[in-house]
Amino acid sequence: MTGLLASLARTGAVAGLARVAGLLAALVLARRLGVEGYGLLAATLGAAALGGRIGTLGWPALLTRALPRYRSRRAGRAPARLQATGDRMVARGSLGLAAGMAAAGVLAGGTVGLVLVGAAVLVPVMAFRAMSRAALAGLGRPGRAIAADELLPPLGVLCLAVTPLLSSPAAAVAAHAAAGLAAVAWARHTRWSLAPRAPGDTPPARLRRAWQVAALIALTGLSARLALLRADIVMLPLLASVAETGLYAAAQKLSLLQSAPVAVLVTVAVPRITAALAAGRLRHARRLYRGAVAAAAGSAAIVGAVLCLAGTPALVAVFGTEFALAMPALTWLAVAQVAAAPGLVATGIALALGRGRAAAALAWTALLFGVAANLVLIPVHGAAGAAAATAAAMTLLTAGQLMLTARVLRPAETRAGRNNSASPSTKASSSGRA
């Protein structure tokens, strides 16, 4: 327990710095670009984040699930083999998707075309940021995982923001690409130093196929969840205006402060719970899980209450007077973050127990509900309507995730789940020792 608390403290410090850096970068960009320019950038980043997640083909979820098991079983070369195979698959998937998005953007033209072309530039970077985070977390370096994905990219953008170059959304997209590439390069060096690979050490084709199947199963649920989080900011310029997108993006950036402690809990606790389950320590795993869920919900609620009390003055102080109208959206997004926090922990555990298909069904149900709610609320209420739709959808999703994870953590079902899901990742661990 002392080790867990120490890891939480170290990782929490990194996550706090990451949120501050992200907020500062958003502050500079919002004031440089104005409401409409910032809205266009936010829509581009949202589409890139979704495309990047799809371009990973589910490998970050597989790394988070399998690497702790390999480490606990001292599976020899398996961690290095898994990462190398994942890197190759993610490169193919993300570059192929980026090419398709760029072509679609050229054909579409207008605002949609600008968003798609800008997102295409960022998709491979976003994909490898997600890979870096998952690999470092799975290798027991949660602080470095958050640094690679959340701290170094906004720091890089801030360094470029001190120059007069960031005067347009296109320049801001280029800055995000450059900063993300630098973060990915650092993370790649770090993770290969933790799990060195031998030249030409390629796993058997059967093992590669098993890994990819497991990754794609996880992708179906995780991509739906991310789409739920990004659907509103992608739909806003189509159903309302770029200005409403800018207001929403500002409110969302402040609400993300609520997710800082939750990100720490997920990054630190889920690999530990997974390792405990792999070792057969069910009681310890359940105790860690309950504590993580309670801490996630409580921390998000406390930060959300502070944000709502600070209200409009905080928005004006951070982003400028143009963004004062974002307060209704901020209120609803604060509710959404509280609703989502326990579900993030529950999702990680459900995937670790081999319940990827059930988690995917829940995520897709919530996504369809969220899209329908956006179609109804955005044309009438703009940014506030999008935020309210997100809050309702996240409440529905988290309720289902908590019920699913509570069911599979029952002793008898957990044993059955572990046997059934000796599936790709568990079977792969024994094969990977060869």
Side-chain angles (χ1 to χ4, degrees):
M1 185 59 70
T2 302
L4 175 60
L5 292 176
S7 182
L8 284 171
R10 289 193 301 269
T11 310
V14 176
L17 289 173
R19 288 299 186 272
V20 171
L23 190 58
L24 288 174
L27 181 156
V28 172
L29 291 171
R31 289 180 177 271
R32 287 269 185 95
L33 303 177
V35 173
E36 292 195 358
Y38 188 61
L40 184 59
L41 173 64
T44 302
L45 293 176
L50 179 57
R53 177 64 68 179
I54 295 172
T56 64
L57 304 178
W59 277 86
L62 179 61
L63 293 182
T64 302
R65 175 181 173 181
L67 283 176
R69 296 189 180 207
Y70 286 146
R71 289 175 61 236
S72 68
R73 295 170 181 176
R74 292 180 172 82
R77 295 174 295 174
R81 285 178 162 187
L82 181 67
Q83 289 189 79
T85 304
D87 282 348
R88 287 193 294 271
M89 297 302 296
V90 170
R92 295 171 188 170
S94 61
L95 289 172
L97 181 59
M101 291 176 71
V106 171
L107 292 175
T111 300
V112 174
L114 290 174
V115 169
L116 287 175
V117 171
V121 173
L122 293 171
V123 160
V125 178
M126 294 289 195
F128 276 98
R129 278 174 54 179
M131 278 289 288
S132 300
R133 179 174 187 146
L136 289 170
L139 290 170
R141 298 296 188 276
R144 297 183 189 184
I146 292 178
D149 189 34
E150 296 186 34
L151 176 58
L152 295 181
L155 282 179
V157 172
L158 277 173
C159 291
L160 294 171
V162 300
T163 71
L165 298 177
L166 265 66
S167 56
S168 69
V173 168
H176 277 86
L181 283 172
V184 167
W186 172 81
R188 182 178 177 81
H189 171 76
T190 302
R191 60 190 177 101
W192 285 120
S193 68
L194 295 170
R197 58 176 175 173
D201 187 10
T202 303
R206 175 179 55 83
L207 183 57
R208 295 199 303 272
R209 285 194 297 270
W211 280 338
Q212 186 59 71
V213 169
L216 288 173
I217 290 172
L219 175 67
T220 57
L222 292 177
S223 60
R225 184 185 180 92
L226 184 63
L228 175 61
L229 295 174
R230 303 293 180 180
D232 39 22
I233 208 162
V234 173
M235 294 173 73
L236 268 167
L238 301 175
L239 299 177
S241 67
V242 175
E244 287 291 328
T245 309
L247 293 175
Y248 184 91
Q252 187 182 56
K253 183 59 69 174
L254 279 183
S255 73
L256 286 177
L257 293 173
Q258 294 173 257
S259 66
V262 181
V264 173
L265 283 165
V266 172
T267 304
V268 173
V270 169
R272 288 174 179 262
I273 297 170
T274 301
L277 289 169
R281 301 169 61 198
L282 175 61
R283 183 175 299 177
H284 179 61
R286 294 174 70 186
R287 186 168 61 249
L288 287 176
Y289 168 71
R290 287 193 295 266
V293 166
S299 60
I302 291 170
V303 179
V306 172
L307 286 176
C308 290
L309 289 173
T312 304
L315 284 165
V316 172
V318 174
F319 296 103
T321 55
E322 291 179 289
F323 292 87
L325 295 175
M327 185 59 210
L330 176 59
T331 303
W332 279 112
L333 286 174
V335 174
Q337 290 286 356
V338 175
L344 290 172
V345 180
T347 297
I349 304 309
L351 291 174
L353 289 173
R355 296 305 193 272
R357 290 184 177 87
L362 289 171
W364 280 103
T365 301
L367 173 61
L368 293 174
F369 175 85
V371 169
N374 275 320
L375 289 171
V376 173
L377 295 175
I378 288 178
V380 180
H381 300 288
T390 298
M394 292 309 305
T395 301
L396 174 67
L397 176 59
T398 294
Q401 289 168 330
L402 290 175
M403 287 189 287
L404 170 65
T405 306
R407 187 165 65 248
V408 300
L409 276 177
R410 291 172 187 164
E413 290 196 38
T414 301
R415 287 195 294 271
R418 289 175 62 207
N419 291 335
N420 294 338
S421 75
S423 70
S425 73
T426 341
K427 291 176 182 173
S429 87
S430 57
S431 304
R433 294 176 191 170

